[in-house]
Amino acid sequence: MAKLLHDDDPDPAHRFPAGPLYVPVRPGPSGCAARLFRAPLGDRTAVGFTSAGRLTATLGPDQARIRLAEPALRALTAPLGITTVTVDPQFSAPAPAPVEPATPVPALRIA
């Protein structure tokens, strides 16, 4: 099998198009926008799932989605400086809960 060569990819032999993906989206001012995530090391990444069931299992049943080809998702996020597409992530951390103000603890008196 011939290797695919890409100048900007450090490991070009492993970069194959994933095909049509289910991409999580959020409402935006012009319709919907792809949700972007952080990889475990903190880099921003686009995310796509190979099935609606995998997206639902990871992000929940209320997550809106669209179908995009993997090259289209890359083209959409490249102007934002995002060059990574994560396919079928297994884990997603929950959104942070609002923090309630701390309640002062009364001082203890020692007799």
Side-chain angles (χ1 to χ4, degrees):
M1 177 169 208
K3 285 188 174 185
L4 295 177
L5 299 177
H6 297 278
D7 292 336
D8 59 343
D9 192 345
D11 195 4
H14 293 106
R15 186 173 176 180
F16 293 100
L21 298 171
Y22 292 87
V23 177
V25 295
R26 60 178 175 74
S30 300
C32 62
R35 281 187 63 191
L36 302 175
F37 295 84
R38 297 252 177 214
L41 296 178
D43 297 332
R44 293 184 348 164
T45 182
V47 171
F49 294 86
T50 55
S51 72
R54 289 182 182 206
L55 183 143
T56 300
T58 304
L59 299 176
D62 297 328
Q63 176 59 58
R65 59 188 167 256
I66 60 171
R67 293 278 292 196
L68 279 179
E70 183 262 345
L73 181 56
R74 284 188 186 279
L76 181 71
T77 57
L80 303 172
I82 299 169
T83 58
T84 305
V85 173
T86 303
V87 177
D88 289 330
Q90 298 292 312
F91 174 73
S92 172
V99 177
E100 296 191 26
T103 305
V105 177
L108 296 175
R109 291 187 165 191
I110 299 176

